[in-house]
Amino acid sequence: MSIFEKPPAKNFAAWDYVVFAALFLVSAGIGVFFAIKERKKATSREFLVGGKQMTCGPVALSLTASFMSAVTVLGTPSEVYRYGASFLLFIISYTFVIIFTAELFLPVFYRSGITSAYEYLELRFDKIIRYAATVIYILQTILYTGVVVYAPALALNQVTGFDLWASVFATGIVCTFYCTLGGLKAVVWTDAFQMVVMVVGFLTVLVQGTILNGGPAKILEIASNNSRLYIVDFDPDPLRRHTFWTIAVGGTFTWLGVYGVNQSTIQRCISCKSELHAKLALYLNLIGLWVILLCAVFSGLIMYSHYRNCDPWTAGFISAPDQLMPYFVMDIFSTMSGLPGLFVACAFSGTLSTVAASINALATVTFEDFVKNIFKNLSDRKSTWISKGLCIVFGVICTSMAVAASLMGSIVQAALSIHGMCGGPMLGLFTLGIVFPWSNWKGAIGGLLTGILLSFWAGIGAFIYPAPSAKAQPLDLSTDLCVRSNITQTTLFTPTEASFRPQLADTWYSMSYLYYSAVGFLGCIIAGLLISFITGATHGKDIKPLLIRPVCNIFCFCSEKYKTFCWCGVQHDNQNFNEDSENDLKKDITMKSQNGVEKEVYQTYLPGYSPEEKTYTNPSLDTYF
């Protein structure tokens, strides 16, 4: 029981429900529009990857909206409020993530002509690796998606009075509806609309909060005086929760694992009509990530300025830090009906985009990796109906997972960590295939199991034995100006220390959660390479050059001898994948001899390359293999 007098509760008004309902209606309407518009293009390719003719703009907005879930919209401002603005350092992580995705992973996926990212693993290693990775992805995505639906709905329910289960089921039903009707195009364009809603929602909070708290200069002054702007901490201690190194290094591994090799991201990139559009989508998406991050960080600073003398969490007005942002919104917009509904629409835009992208990606990997391998001769009509049926099935499963999350209690926190703990080993698995030509399928499966074992060992251990508070101590929060109630005595629950705390609890288990992915990645790479060498490394000449990314060319550009040495026998200069086809040999007449006379020069390209556009367009997998 709180010793402070809680302010009167503020609930949704009629206009708030109208604004919130409009988000769902427009999202569903986009699905209906594309169902009607694309009704004559009834193929699974059109449904799952938009016919691979998407452009960079909507795909960029879609990637940003899905990446920034409601967990980000509600959690990041709360993080800044409690720990300071060091979250800004994620700008570095996001930048590295996009560069590595665009320049290392995307070219291999795009030029391979695949639909499921896990098809690559069969082409490079073995079918068993493909199936193992697909199952892991399906399980982690279902669990994570269920929590993404439930956790924000619970936070908003406890602060705004918005009905918990109505929002959970509305989210599941609407996402399943427009995914099933419109396919990937509906998902992408709905995400683009929801991205606009997210930005508008954040901007209304920023403008009103800034006005009420004396302007940007005053807010930054208060934040600076109370250590909220102490951003860069170069302490190398891996047990510290957030430092420059944990965010810049650990954050890069974490988000690269759940972004760079994630089916949801790759699927939308390969849906673009050319590799150039796919790369532009990623780099434009980076700008969107920066914008959302800056909005979230400054929202946290505004919240601190507003509540610096009466922290609602310490005072007991709310029961969890994730409720800070909705509590703040209901406070500053208490006399402005409709604007709280806009912010809730902003938060649920992140939820809708994440859930819809997950449902579409789950349907795609299930169809491509399992259904097509079981039923070899499906017609386009049957393939499309099966794809739609899978969307419905996974929509029901993800919504049911949200219901299960309500029964988990504190396990919800562990469920959120699973996404990152699986991401590191999966990143290591793809990196083994793309960067290390001598890795074989035995090394790949051994590395994957080792990486998962190490990352789950650290993550589950940290959940059972939380790190000492000294390594993750929130900054000071005050209740000096809170109004005390008439209660003079209260009994507070004091958690007892665990009767047994192993030695690893203060070392291995206390490691920053941002390093879980790096541990899984390094474990996968080291074990994978060792097992590959012990069992017989793959010969480079036996690997299709298309499946390897020439990153060593960056360092060996000055010497053909060292470039060839670093490629370990892969015939990277021989691009004739189909020797019987003259189409692999492209004629380039743009080159001139030294005396200025034009001459015909035969230049070899990967299949799918357009010399006129100087980029790769959508190839077919059958072209190569």
Side-chain angles (χ1 to χ4, degrees):
M1 184 180 296
S2 173
I3 63 172
F4 300 102
E5 185 176 332
K6 186 176 181 179
K10 304 177 181 68
N11 293 318
F12 260 30
W15 277 109
D16 296 314
Y17 285 104
V18 170
V19 172
F20 182 74
L23 169 71
F24 284 86
L25 290 175
V26 173
S27 299
I30 293 174
V32 173
F33 171 78
F34 279 101
I36 297 172
K37 183 176 181 291
E38 307 292 328
R39 65 186 183 280
K40 295 182 180 179
K41 302 177 182 179
T43 66
S44 60
R45 174 187 171 98
E46 187 71 31
F47 182 79
L48 294 174
V49 289
K52 294 192 174 182
Q53 290 300 312
M54 302 295 292
T55 54
C56 59
V59 172
L61 291 172
S62 176
L63 287 170
T64 306
S66 296
F67 192 70
M68 293 297 183
S69 68
V71 174
T72 302
V73 174
L74 301 180
T76 301
S78 169
E79 182 77 23
V80 174
Y81 176 89
R82 298 171 62 212
Y83 293 97
S86 60
F87 231 74
L88 269 178
L89 293 173
F90 273 100
I91 286 179
I92 299 173
S93 302
Y94 295 161
T95 304
F96 280 125
V97 166
I98 297 303
I99 291 173
F100 280 120
T101 302
E103 305 301 333
L104 179 60
F105 297 109
L106 174 64
V108 174
F109 293 133
Y110 195 93
R111 297 173 193 180
S112 299
I114 61 178
T115 299
S116 164
Y118 308 104
E119 289 179 72
Y120 169 83
L121 297 175
E122 180 179 354
L123 298 174
R124 176 64 178 85
F125 294 119
D126 189 80
K127 187 172 288 188
I128 190 174
I129 309 294
R130 175 182 181 179
Y131 291 154
T134 302
V135 169
I136 291 171
Y137 172 76
I138 290 173
L139 292 176
Q140 70 159 2
T141 303
I142 289 173
L143 182 59
Y144 178 74
T145 304
V147 176
V148 162
V149 173
Y150 176 74
L154 178 64
L156 292 165
N157 162 260
Q158 294 184 347
V159 175
T160 67
F162 193 79
D163 189 85
L164 172 64
W165 295 114
S167 60
V168 167
F169 287 111
T171 299
I173 291 170
V174 170
C175 287
T176 305
F177 177 78
Y178 69 75
C179 281
T180 304
L181 284 182
L184 183 69
K185 286 187 177 179
V187 171
V188 168
W189 282 102
T190 306
D191 285 350
F193 161 71
Q194 290 160 357
M195 177 63 189
V196 173
V197 174
M198 289 173 70
V199 173
V200 172
F202 259 131
L203 288 178
T204 57
V205 174
L206 290 172
V207 170
Q208 179 69 0
T210 302
I211 292 172
L212 292 177
N213 288 279
K218 181 67 173 177
I219 291 169
L220 292 175
E221 180 187 352
I222 293 171
S224 178
N225 292 339
N226 291 275
S227 304
R228 259 62 187 180
L229 294 185
Y230 181 57
I231 297 173
V232 181
D233 180 358
F234 287 107
D235 186 350
D237 184 0
L239 307 186
R240 291 279 304 280
R241 187 169 180 269
H242 281 170
T243 65
F244 174 85
W245 303 111
T246 56
I247 295 177
V249 178
T252 298
F253 279 104
T254 298
W255 289 115
L256 193 58
V258 299
Y259 195 84
V261 297
N262 186 286
Q263 171 65 24
S264 180
T265 303
I266 298 304
Q267 183 174 336
R268 276 171 285 184
C269 288
I270 63 177
S271 73
C272 292
K273 62 183 181 180
S274 71
E275 186 181 322
L276 178 61
H277 271 269
K279 285 189 175 183
L280 284 174
L282 284 168
Y283 286 115
L284 289 173
N285 154 64
L286 177 60
I287 297 173
L289 297 180
W290 288 344
V291 170
I292 295 294
L293 180 63
L294 288 171
C295 288
V297 169
F298 201 67
S299 294
L301 296 178
I302 293 173
M303 270 203 305
Y304 178 75
S305 177
H306 195 77
Y307 293 124
R308 64 187 183 278
N309 293 316
C310 184
D311 170 41
W313 181 43
T314 308
F317 302 158
I318 56 176
S319 57
D322 284 345
Q323 299 170 18
L324 278 165
M325 190 65 175
Y327 182 86
F328 174 63
V329 168
M330 295 300 293
D331 192 0
I332 64 175
F333 291 129
S334 59
T335 60
M336 301 180 185
S337 181
L339 290 181
L342 178 61
F343 173 77
V344 171
C346 163
F348 271 92
S349 289
T351 297
L352 288 170
S353 60
T354 303
V355 173
S358 297
I359 291 173
N360 189 257
L362 288 167
T364 300
V365 297
T366 303
F367 180 78
E368 293 290 332
D369 296 336
F370 295 115
V371 175
K372 284 179 68 173
N373 284 317
I374 297 173
F375 305 100
K376 301 289 187 181
N377 299 311
L378 288 172
S379 65
D380 284 339
R381 183 178 179 82
K382 287 182 179 179
S383 296
T384 304
W385 280 108
I386 291 174
S387 301
K388 290 179 182 250
L390 288 171
C391 284
I392 295 174
V393 169
F394 282 115
V396 172
I397 291 174
C398 289
T399 306
S400 301
M401 189 63 229
V403 176
S406 68
L407 306 175
M408 289 182 179
S410 58
I411 297 180
V412 168
Q413 179 182 347
L416 284 169
S417 300
I418 287 178
H419 211 49
M421 289 187 288
C422 290
M426 294 292 279
L427 175 64
L429 180 61
F430 280 100
T431 304
L432 271 176
I434 292 173
V435 176
F436 300 100
W438 52 85
S439 59
N440 61 25
W441 74 269
K442 295 175 183 177
I445 194 70
L448 177 63
L449 293 175
T450 303
I452 288 177
L453 177 64
L454 288 174
S455 58
F456 271 74
W457 179 23
I460 294 175
F463 177 70
I464 298 173
Y465 302 102
S469 58
K471 298 294 183 181
Q473 190 71 38
L475 298 174
D476 291 337
L477 297 168
S478 172
T479 57
D480 291 346
L481 297 185
C482 292
V483 179
R484 291 184 173 270
S485 65
N486 293 326
I487 300 173
T488 56
Q489 293 184 347
T490 184
T491 303
L492 297 177
F493 172 75
T494 303
T496 58
E497 294 291 330
S499 57
F500 171 73
R501 188 172 175 86
Q503 186 175 359
L504 287 176
D506 295 326
T507 52
W508 178 251
Y509 297 157
S510 295
M511 174 175 53
S512 171
Y513 71 98
L514 289 173
Y515 281 135
Y516 296 161
S517 191
V519 166
F521 171 83
L522 293 174
C524 179
I525 293 293
I526 295 171
L529 292 177
L530 286 175
I531 294 172
S532 293
F533 284 122
I534 292 171
T535 59
T538 302
H539 296 291
K541 61 183 175 59
D542 297 328
I543 301 175
K544 300 290 185 182
L546 185 70
L547 302 177
I548 303 293
R549 183 64 178 155
V551 290
C552 62
N553 289 6
I554 299 172
F555 308 104
C556 305
F557 61 88
C558 60
S559 170
E560 287 297 323
K561 176 183 177 181
Y562 288 118
K563 183 192 297 184
T564 303
F565 173 78
C566 288
W567 269 89
C568 305
V570 177
Q571 303 300 305
H572 63 285
D573 287 329
N574 179 14
Q575 306 293 2
N576 291 314
F577 294 100
N578 186 351
E579 295 179 357
D580 298 327
S581 172
E582 294 182 0
N583 291 329
D584 293 341
L585 197 61
K586 308 296 181 181
K587 183 185 292 184
D588 188 346
I589 60 173
T590 60
M591 296 184 65
K592 295 183 179 182
S593 62
Q594 291 182 353
N595 59 10
V597 178
E598 275 192 356
K599 64 178 182 178
E600 291 184 350
V601 178
Y602 286 90
Q603 176 77 30
T604 57
Y605 297 104
L606 293 173
Y609 184 80
S610 170
E612 294 80 12
E613 298 182 12
K614 296 183 180 180
T615 186
Y616 289 84
T617 54
N618 288 289
S620 168
L621 192 62
D622 297 333
T623 306
Y624 316 122
F625 306 105

